[in-house]
Amino acid sequence: MSLFPTITVSAGERALEYVDGTCRRVLEPGRHRLARRAVVRRVLVLERVDTTAPQEVPTADGVSVRVTVAVRWAVADAQRFVETTVEPMAFVYLAVQVALRDALVDLTADDVARRARRTLGEAITEAARVAAEPVGIVVHGTVVKDVILPHELRAAYAELVSAKARGQAQLEVARAETAALRSLANGAKLLDEHPALARLRLVQALPPG
């Protein structure tokens, strides 16, 4: 029987070998022989996606919108991830929330609703990466997932869309009526200029016999 225990580290994880409270080495996937008094802590390093809680953020026009951000991240340094802080991702979430407030302070609610997903991602991702590196995390990207406007503003937008649709429908009806009137006017002018054609149309309109 061996005096030295062994451990198998799976793909997608790292194992920290501690001896007398000190990290002796970081074990890669495979089978390893441990020190006699070793304590092992496993760390999952697969990429994952977490979504922040809805963050209520004031816009430039004084409207409070609720925004959530999805963060794609993974553990880059297992030892720093374990030893630096109790909740490593809390640092990343805080950086995302602060960057979100800074990004929205100059935007109106309409700008946020229309362009948040396209314009905010880069700034938020950079802030998250800066906060993540010291705690052993790599951030692969962020996405503005949900933008929730106040109920009154959503109702106003819905009414605006409905009004635009009704106006477009009325415009199409008016165009059709104008085209019909123009056709009738052209026909009347043609009949005035050609009496024989007018008589022919009259004959055609009479019932048989």
Side-chain angles (χ1 to χ4, degrees), residues 57 97-106:
V57 184
Q97 291 169 343
V98 172
L100 192 59
R101 286 182 174 273
D102 290 343
L104 296 187
V105 70
D106 295 325

Coordinates of all heavy atoms in Angstrom, one line a residue, residues 57 97-106:
V57 N -31.3 52.0 -13.1 CA -30.3 53.0 -13.5 C -31.0 54.2 -14.0 O -31.9 54.1 -14.9 CB -29.3 52.5 -14.6 CG1 -28.3 53.5 -14.9 CG2 -28.7 51.2 -14.1
Q97 N -21.8 46.9 -12.8 CA -22.9 47.9 -12.3 C -22.4 49.3 -12.4 O -23.2 50.2 -12.9 CB -23.3 47.5 -10.9 CG -24.1 46.2 -10.8 CD -24.3 45.7 -9.4 OE1 -23.7 46.2 -8.5 NE2 -25.2 44.8 -9.2
V98 N -21.2 49.6 -12.0 CA -20.7 50.9 -12.1 C -20.5 51.4 -13.5 O -20.9 52.5 -13.9 CB -19.3 51.0 -11.3 CG1 -18.7 52.4 -11.5 CG2 -19.5 50.8 -9.8
A99 N -20.0 50.5 -14.4 CA -19.8 50.8 -15.8 C -21.2 51.1 -16.4 O -21.3 52.0 -17.3 CB -19.1 49.7 -16.5
L100 N -22.2 50.3 -16.0 CA -23.5 50.5 -16.6 C -24.1 51.9 -16.2 O -24.6 52.6 -17.1 CB -24.4 49.4 -16.1 CG -25.8 49.2 -16.7 CD1 -25.6 48.9 -18.2 CD2 -26.5 48.1 -16.1
R101 N -23.9 52.3 -15.0 CA -24.4 53.6 -14.6 C -23.6 54.7 -15.3 O -24.2 55.7 -15.8 CB -24.2 53.8 -13.1 CG -25.2 53.0 -12.2 CD -25.0 53.2 -10.8 NE -26.1 52.6 -10.0 CZ -27.3 53.2 -9.7 NH1 -27.5 54.4 -10.2 NH2 -28.2 52.5 -9.1
D102 N -22.3 54.6 -15.4 CA -21.5 55.6 -16.2 C -21.9 55.7 -17.6 O -22.0 56.8 -18.2 CB -20.0 55.2 -16.1 CG -19.5 55.4 -14.6 OD1 -20.1 56.1 -13.8 OD2 -18.4 54.9 -14.4
A103 N -22.3 54.5 -18.2 CA -22.6 54.5 -19.6 C -24.0 55.1 -19.9 O -24.2 55.7 -21.0 CB -22.6 53.1 -20.2
L104 N -24.9 55.0 -18.9 CA -26.3 55.4 -19.2 C -26.5 56.9 -18.7 O -27.6 57.4 -19.1 CB -27.3 54.5 -18.4 CG -27.3 53.0 -18.8 CD1 -28.5 52.3 -18.1 CD2 -27.5 52.9 -20.4
V105 N -25.6 57.4 -18.0 CA -25.8 58.8 -17.5 C -26.1 59.8 -18.6 O -26.8 60.8 -18.3 CB -24.7 59.2 -16.6 CG1 -23.4 59.5 -17.4 CG2 -25.0 60.4 -15.7
D106 N -25.5 59.6 -19.7 CA -25.7 60.6 -20.8 C -26.7 60.2 -21.9 O -26.8 60.8 -22.9 CB -24.3 60.8 -21.5 CG -23.3 61.5 -20.6 OD1 -23.7 62.3 -19.8 OD2 -22.1 61.2 -20.7

